[in-house]
Amino acid sequence: MYAQSGGTEAAAKLTDSALFTAQQAAAPELSYRWDWQRARLAKQQGDTATALVSYRRAVNALQSVRKDIPVDYRDGRSSYQTMFKPLYMEFTDLLLRRAAADPRHTAPLIREARDTLEALKASELQDYFRDSCVASFEARRQSITAIAPGSAVLYPIALPDRLELLVSFGEEQRQVTVPVSAAALQREVQNFRELLEKRTTNEYLVPARQLYDQLIRPIDPLLAAHGIDTVVIVPDSVLRVIPFAALHDGRQFLIERYATAIAPSMQLVDPKPLADRPNVALILGVSQSVQGFVDLPNVSREIDEVHQIEGGKAILNDAFTEARFGAELRSTSYNIVHIASHGQFDVDPKQTFLLAYDGPLRMDQLEDSIKYGERRESALELLVLSACETASGDDRAALGLAGVALKAGARSALASLWYVSDEAAGALVVDFYRSLKSGQSKARALQAAQRKLASGQRYAHPAYWSPFLMIGNWL
């Protein structure tokens, strides 16, 4: 009551008393609330040091009781995100303000801000899939900042009054602040996404240039100075729904200069280049009209061409059943699985599926067959999903797309943000495999395939080539 009526000092004293009592009772489920309130009051009083300490304690206490907090799901969103996301964001905001103002401690403050959001993102994935083990294999996880030379990690954070771009070059951390609010950025992103899917106009170019100016141009000198060829983006919820490859500097698309990849988090499971081991591919497809879905006449050709490049086993139409899929993955240690069929990543994970001939493969079934542990000795290296789509423009559906590699236990996944014709998708993925065979990284192979598709007159519009994302391990 005192806090809401402007009695900040009295509110702070009472909060300290409540906090002391909660700590004496060893009750973190209470103390995080008072630490959070104490942090807000200290921030109002201009006491940044106390605010940071209180926020830090609040987040740590909340994380310690995270699994004990019941979660409700409404409209596909969890009560945990609704109630507690502001705590993580307020703490991150204050950490980044201090990082910008205190050059001596910039790097550790940036790392702490990023780690705070990583905890929130892990919780978000768990809530989306309703599975606390979706981000498992902790012992084999490795920071992506130390994986490959020539790669920069871009970690954008949309805050109420500004956009923070955190850029990592190995162990070097840089912070760039852009004066655009989260609300304005979200409007621009939605406009870009909607216009980008219109294949008959170039109206997308205006927001493509605007977003380039906000997301890439401020860090262009840093990328050039470090000789970067691959930009790995760890997007927040605002930016999940757009392909960075289609951003435009006024002369060319971003894909002309950099390969791009999406990482759901700053950690990957035991990342290694695909060329480090022989490939064994399982290539599946449904070209016929089944389960109420239209036919995909070019899938047969796609399956044949991928099979010619990768070898392995090809299974088409009525041979591709749910039972056969599981049996193949139990009997052979495939490290590439290619599925050319209808699929959907929805706001509701229960509506997320890949289509086999006799019915939908749900995420739990996919995980059951692919995930290593009881049935597989090593992780699937690459999961390619051709002809799939996400629910248009929704960040929750895009979250499911980004989480598919984690959920299925694959090191990386190639999938699309929206449906692309099976002919265009087939041409792109076949060129992707050809570039992989030449020894290029997955991200560079996708870049080469996208550039080739864009160079032709028929599929030059970015609606055809830009939605394909390399998710997870890009090596």
Side-chain angles (χ1 to χ4, degrees):
M1 184 181 69
Y2 278 116
Q4 291 179 6
S5 62
T8 307
E9 287 190 22
K13 288 179 182 178
L14 290 167
T15 302
D16 285 339
S17 179
L19 179 57
F20 179 72
T21 305
Q23 288 171 340
Q24 278 191 315
E29 72 278 7
L30 300 177
S31 65
Y32 82 82
R33 297 176 182 272
W34 309 130
D35 268 316
W36 186 2
Q37 182 161 289
R38 188 69 185 88
R40 285 173 158 168
L41 292 167
K43 190 166 66 171
Q44 288 175 25
Q45 293 171 314
D47 186 355
T48 301
T50 299
L52 285 174
V53 169
S54 297
Y55 273 126
R56 190 173 290 121
R57 285 200 309 238
V59 168
N60 290 338
L62 181 58
Q63 287 293 115
S64 74
V65 297
R66 168 68 180 92
K67 291 183 180 178
D68 300 323
I69 297 174
V71 178
D72 294 325
Y73 299 92
R74 294 180 183 178
D75 300 323
R77 298 183 184 273
S78 79
S79 58
Y80 186 88
Q81 289 287 317
T82 304
M83 291 175 64
F84 301 119
K85 184 175 181 179
L87 168 58
Y88 294 90
M89 297 306 297
E90 288 168 22
F91 183 34
T92 299
D93 188 338
L94 198 58
L95 284 167
L96 293 175
R97 288 184 190 277
R98 173 59 71 90
D102 186 1
R104 294 173 303 164
H105 300 100
T106 295
L109 287 166
I110 286 176
R111 278 194 291 270
E112 187 174 9
R114 208 171 53 192
D115 289 347
T116 300
L117 287 187
E118 287 291 287
L120 180 65
K121 287 181 179 183
S123 172
E124 193 175 19
L125 270 174
Q126 290 166 9
D127 286 349
Y128 175 80
F129 288 112
R130 303 182 192 184
D131 178 1
S132 62
C133 298
V134 71
S136 57
F137 311 119
E138 291 298 327
R140 305 186 67 175
R141 291 166 77 81
Q142 182 178 338
S143 171
I144 63 178
T145 57
I147 289 175
S151 299
V153 179
L154 173 58
Y155 202 105
I157 303 171
L159 294 166
D161 63 337
R162 69 196 190 282
L163 171 67
E164 294 279 10
L165 302 175
L166 308 184
V167 195
S168 303
F169 307 95
E171 292 303 313
E172 181 185 347
Q173 312 283 335
R174 301 295 288 269
Q175 175 186 6
V176 179
T177 303
V178 182
V180 57
S181 69
L185 181 67
Q186 187 156 26
R187 287 193 297 271
E188 201 70 42
V189 162
Q190 287 300 132
N191 187 36
F192 178 49
R193 169 66 188 257
E194 290 168 10
L195 293 176
L196 197 55
E197 290 189 63
K198 293 183 178 180
R199 304 174 188 184
T200 56
T201 79
N202 289 331
E203 295 175 84
Y204 69 86
L205 276 171
V206 173
R209 290 170 182 169
Q210 178 71 20
L211 288 169
Y212 185 96
D213 288 343
Q214 293 164 344
L215 294 163
I216 303 297
R217 200 175 299 282
I219 63 172
D220 254 341
L222 293 172
L223 299 177
H226 287 80
I228 296 303
D229 58 42
T230 302
V231 178
V232 182
I233 303 108
V234 188
D236 66 359
S237 58
V238 175
L239 295 167
R240 284 189 195 121
V241 300
I242 58 167
F244 275 63
L247 300 185
H248 202 278
D249 67 2
R251 298 190 307 274
Q252 59 185 358
F253 292 105
L254 184 68
I255 202 66
E256 295 294 332
R257 297 174 57 201
Y258 303 108
T260 61
I262 298 296
S265 76
M266 290 295 294
Q267 302 283 323
L268 294 178
V269 177
D270 196 17
K272 295 176 183 176
L274 191 59
D276 281 1
R277 67 204 72 188
N279 295 340
V280 183
L282 177 62
I283 306 153
L284 310 110
V286 176
S287 65
Q288 297 172 359
S289 174
V290 293
Q291 311 294 321
F293 288 86
V294 299
D295 63 341
L296 298 169
N298 288 283
V299 160
S300 299
R301 178 181 173 186
E302 176 183 333
I303 296 298
D304 287 342
E305 292 186 349
V306 173
H307 188 217
Q308 287 174 23
I309 297 167
E310 286 294 341
K313 182 174 287 188
I315 300 173
L316 184 65
N317 290 328
D318 58 357
F320 174 19
T321 63
E322 296 177 58
R324 177 76 182 277
F325 179 72
E328 285 291 337
L329 286 161
R330 285 191 293 272
S331 66
T332 306
S333 293
Y334 295 103
N335 60 358
I336 295 176
V337 172
H338 179 106
I339 301 175
S341 178
H342 287 288
Q344 178 176 289
F345 291 85
D346 197 85
V347 179
D348 181 355
K350 293 179 180 178
Q351 300 303 317
T352 292
F353 64 87
L354 303 169
L355 192 69
Y357 190 84
D358 59 344
L361 283 168
R362 305 287 178 189
M363 282 304 304
D364 286 344
Q365 294 170 277
L366 196 68
E367 176 187 22
D368 222 29
S369 301
I370 288 177
K371 204 162 197 172
Y372 73 97
E374 292 181 9
R375 294 194 177 94
R376 294 174 57 86
E377 293 181 359
S378 60
L380 184 71
E381 293 293 335
L382 177 62
L383 175 64
V384 176
L385 306 176
S386 177
C388 296
E389 64 179 317
T390 64
S392 180
D394 188 278
D395 69 286
R396 298 281 298 166
L399 175 69
L401 185 67
V404 65
L406 283 174
K407 177 69 171 170
R411 287 197 172 98
S412 53
L414 175 61
S416 59
L417 280 169
W418 58 80
Y419 174 72
V420 177
S421 73
D422 59 319
E423 186 175 355
L428 185 138
V429 297
V430 166
D431 283 328
F432 166 74
Y433 282 110
R434 288 190 181 120
S435 294
L436 270 187
K437 275 296 184 184
S438 71
Q440 295 193 55
S441 71
K442 299 187 194 84
R444 297 293 296 277
L446 176 59
Q447 178 192 27
Q450 287 176 314
R451 291 177 65 174
K452 182 174 180 182
L453 198 65
S455 67
Q457 190 171 359
R458 185 172 184 183
Y459 299 123
H461 196 285
Y464 292 104
W465 52 262
S466 71
F468 291 91
L469 306 179
M470 178 53 59
I471 302 162
N473 174 20
W474 68 95
L475 300 180

